[in-house]
Amino acid sequence: MTTPESTPASGQDGPTAPVAGQMTVRAVRDRISAGYYLPGARLTLSELTTSTGHDAAALRLALDYLATTGLVTGRWQAADPRPEHRTERARALLAGMIARGAWPAGTVLPARSVLVRILLTEPAHISRALGELADEGLLYLGPKGPARVLPAPARTPWPPGEKELLDALPSRTLPGATHNAYTLHQVRYAARQRWKGGVCLSPTAMTEQEDRQAESVYRFVTRAFERTSRHQPPILPAVPSTAAQVMACHALPRAGPLYERLYRFATLAAALAHLADALAAPACARTA
């Protein structure tokens, strides 16, 4: 005669999941599938206890079981089914920044250590992304030294046209968002810490943060556009460069797993903080 603890479960939990732990397994699996945890992030009993409401003993068994399914590694980390996606994401964002004029033709790209911080990924993925862009003819990548942007007839220089600018900005704005540089640096720090920790906000909280961030994008990019197009001599080069980076980050899809939304939010938070600094720089202030 079988007991509830030894009776096999059926369906998505697999044939060996204990019936007594089905709810715990499902709770953990659903959070992983929704993208609450970055691939490779360590799953801790303390965080799961708070987020799922299940006790540590049941969660330990659930994690051990999910490790047999491949959803979790043996070290209780969220599995990464597509490690190559980090290269694809870095390549797409770099290409978007170049296309929007963040680095004009002939410009040397920032050092790879800087790109690692801008794109929130590992050096190996930066190197592969640069190699792919070189193969596509966007960059010159010699055997040594940094990458250099190559000319492209279709590339739009900064400042963008009014239609392009409006297309890149949010269709609606959220009153009450904070726009001072100190707060934006705090937001950048919090977003990077959350990305480093590997655990995302809830969908509701993420949407609220994204709406406020969209308002910051609107204000800062339009301010950069106005100062760049109206003042001679040209304002500090960092202003159009960082504004183009903001537009590229903002163009990332606001969809998909939660960790993809967090990636968009964190990269955009860094770009907005840099743009706030560039707009407040003395060379820029003298032209105002």
Side-chain angles (χ1 to χ4, degrees):
M1 182 175 179
T2 59
T3 65
E5 289 74 20
S6 61
T7 303
S10 59
Q12 289 182 320
D13 292 334
T16 60
V19 168
Q22 281 187 64
M23 291 182 63
T24 307
V25 167
R26 187 175 296 111
V28 177
R29 186 189 60 225
D30 288 350
R31 282 182 64 81
I32 296 173
S33 299
Y36 273 91
Y37 307 103
L38 276 65
R42 174 80 172 175
L43 307 181
T44 65
L45 295 176
S46 59
E47 190 279 328
L48 285 169
T49 299
T50 301
S51 61
T52 68
H54 293 271
D55 62 76
L59 287 167
R60 186 177 289 107
L61 292 173
L63 288 169
D64 286 340
Y65 167 71
L66 289 172
T68 68
T69 70
L71 197 61
V72 173
T73 69
R75 299 176 60 188
W76 289 359
Q77 292 176 303
D80 190 353
R82 287 191 61 209
E84 73 280 1
H85 178 59
R86 281 175 282 177
T87 297
E88 297 171 6
R89 186 169 56 197
R91 189 212 65 78
L93 188 49
L94 266 176
M97 290 177 175
I98 292 171
R100 287 168 174 79
W103 300 294
T107 303
V108 172
L109 288 187
R112 298 187 190 199
S113 59
V114 176
L115 292 176
V116 164
R117 295 196 298 271
I118 292 175
L119 304 178
L120 296 179
T121 193
E122 297 81 5
H125 294 288
I126 296 293
S127 295
R128 293 190 196 107
L130 291 174
E132 291 180 8
L133 291 175
D135 292 340
E136 295 170 19
L138 270 72
L139 302 175
Y140 169 76
L141 192 61
K144 293 183 180 180
R148 188 174 72 250
V149 180
L150 292 174
R155 191 168 300 144
T156 303
W158 184 273
E162 183 176 357
K163 182 180 185 303
E164 182 187 6
L165 179 66
L166 293 176
D167 288 346
L169 295 176
S171 58
R172 66 186 184 87
T173 59
L174 182 70
T178 304
H179 308 105
N180 64 77
Y182 175 79
T183 301
L184 287 171
H185 278 278
Q186 293 294 103
V187 171
R188 177 184 67 174
Y189 176 79
R192 284 178 175 267
Q193 288 300 107
R194 185 166 289 279
W195 179 260
K196 184 178 179 181
V199 183
C200 298
L201 295 165
S202 68
T204 301
M206 182 65 72
T207 298
E208 180 182 354
Q209 293 291 323
E210 289 169 335
D211 287 344
R212 293 188 179 279
Q213 196 176 54
E215 168 70 3
S216 295
V217 170
Y218 179 83
R219 290 188 181 230
F220 278 100
V221 174
T222 50
R223 189 182 305 172
F225 175 77
E226 290 169 358
R227 293 192 180 184
T228 303
S229 60
R230 292 180 184 176
H231 292 91
Q232 295 294 331
I235 59 176
L236 204 66
V239 173
S241 175
T242 53
Q245 292 182 43
V246 167
M247 292 174 68
C249 292
H250 184 72
L252 291 172
R254 187 172 162 174
L258 285 173
Y259 61 78
E260 291 294 345
R261 293 175 64 181
L262 179 59
Y263 177 80
R264 178 186 185 275
F265 183 84
T267 55
L268 185 49
L272 282 168
H274 290 152
L275 181 55
D277 288 342
L279 286 168
C284 182
R286 285 197 299 269
T287 64

